């Protein structure tokens, strides 16, 4: 993971701002970014930082409109999960949170939400049925949410197909929030998490892979941590983890899964997402149900800190 590519080339505005503040050389020695710490209290510097991010978000919104006819609000919080689609990376946990917000908004709850644009990108390996079904879930909830006037000014969902390095160079600098929500113990390291962090995004994540070091480097106040630790995962599995305990313990989780099962996002087709729902309810190898409540609460904590733009 080369900083020269992932911030130097992809984010020239922020690169110039940092170089102006702490001089050259930091791209070769990331430790030097600590020299920026005193500037965290400098209102003028913070404003310039916000402006750099805002200009990039404006540019992305223009590109999205021009290339895909997607309408994205650049003032909304960009909440981004881009990486290979895999059950252990848990893009479907992100979906469960989005559907929770959708369900709440439809019921008049949480309407003071900071507007959020959820962005997904990633490829599924050929023949990986569940990963393809997760993509189908993302695009199906996107269709429903983005066309519903009750919710679309608060939440919006985008799936960028054919995610690759070139697209990545546009995506990492635009993020306000980086989703690093793999089941603890599964990710060897991860590099996306670092690319987001060096471009100034906050992270929401489990203590998995390099997330642990990132949390130390950026400070716990910039890392929203949730979920089981790798040891807790092992212990829970050893004790015969049963997702039904979590399913039966949360009415909100039941509602969310029932909404998917009912065909709400699939034109009434109750069989389309059944393999995904059954895997969660009866096996849940990647323990989404165990981490669901902690994840949703962590998202609420993040919202209450008033972070946007
Ligand atoms: C960095 C990168 C990844 C790795 O992402 P992780 O979040 O570490 O899984 C995958 N694909 C592309 C195109 C990347 O640039």
């Amino acid at each position: 993971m080369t900083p020269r590519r992932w911030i130097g080339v992809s984010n020239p505005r922020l690169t110039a701002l940092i170089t102006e503040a702490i001089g050259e050389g930091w791209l070769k020695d990331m430790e030097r970014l600590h020299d920026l710490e005193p500037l965290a209290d400098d209102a003028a510097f913070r404003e310039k930082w916000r402006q750099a991010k805002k200009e990039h978000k404006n540019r992305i919104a223009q590109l999205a409109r021009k290339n895909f006819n997607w309408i994205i609000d650049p003032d909304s919080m960009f909440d981004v999960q881009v990486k290979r689609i895999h059950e252990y990376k848990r893009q479907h946990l992100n979906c469960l949170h989005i559907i929770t917000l959708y369900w709440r908004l439809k019921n008049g709850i949480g309407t003071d939400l900071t507007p959020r644009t959820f962005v997904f990108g990633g490829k599924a390996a050929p023949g990986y049925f569940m990963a393809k079904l997760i993509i189908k879930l993302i695009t199906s909830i996107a269709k429903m949410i983005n066309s519903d006037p009750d919710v679309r000014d608060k939440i919006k969902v985008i799936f960028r197909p054919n995610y690759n390095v070139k697209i990545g160079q546009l995506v990492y600098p635009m993020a306000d929030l980086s989703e690093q929500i793999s089941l603890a113990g599964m990710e060897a390291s991860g590099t996306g998490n670092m690319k987001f962090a060096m471009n100034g995004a906050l992270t929401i994540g489990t203590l998995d892979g390099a997330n642990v070091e990132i949390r130390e480097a950026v400070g716990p106040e910039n890392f929203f941590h949730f979920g089981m630790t790798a040891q807790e995962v092992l212990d829970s599995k050893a004790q015969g983890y049963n997702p039904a305990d979590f399913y039966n313990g949360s009415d909100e989780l039941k509602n969310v899964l029932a909404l998917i099962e009912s065909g709400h996002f699939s034109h009434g087709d109750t069989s389309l997402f059944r393999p995904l729902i059954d895997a969660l309810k009866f096996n849940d190898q990647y323990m989404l149900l165990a981490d669901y409540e902690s994840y949703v609460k962590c998202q609420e904590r993040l919202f209450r800190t008033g972070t946007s733009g």
Side-chain angles (χ1 to χ4, degrees), residues 245-265:
D245 297 340
F246 293 91
Y247 179 81
N248 292 322
S250 167
D251 286 340
E252 195 153 54
L253 176 58
K254 269 188 200 164
N255 287 335
V256 165
L257 293 177
L259 211 52
I260 303 171
E261 277 186 298
S262 72
H264 186 78
F265 301 105

Side-chain angles (χ1 to χ4, degrees), residues 42 50 130 140 206:
D42 180 330
R50 247 194 303 276
M130 281 299 206
S140 300
T206 51

Side-chain angles (χ1 to χ4, degrees), residues 1 5-6 81-84 88-89 122 163-169 172 179-180 187 189-196:
M1 203 279 312
R5 179 199 284 269
W6 292 110
Q81 188 173 19
V82 287
K83 49 182 73 239
R84 269 199 174 272
Y88 89 80
K89 290 178 182 281
Y163 181 69
N164 59 27
V165 168
K166 195 157 162 256
I167 311 295
Q169 287 185 316
Y172 296 103
E179 297 271 353
Q180 304 299 334
E187 191 78 78
S189 160
T191 52
N193 46 8
M194 301 182 212
K195 298 175 207 163
F196 280 113

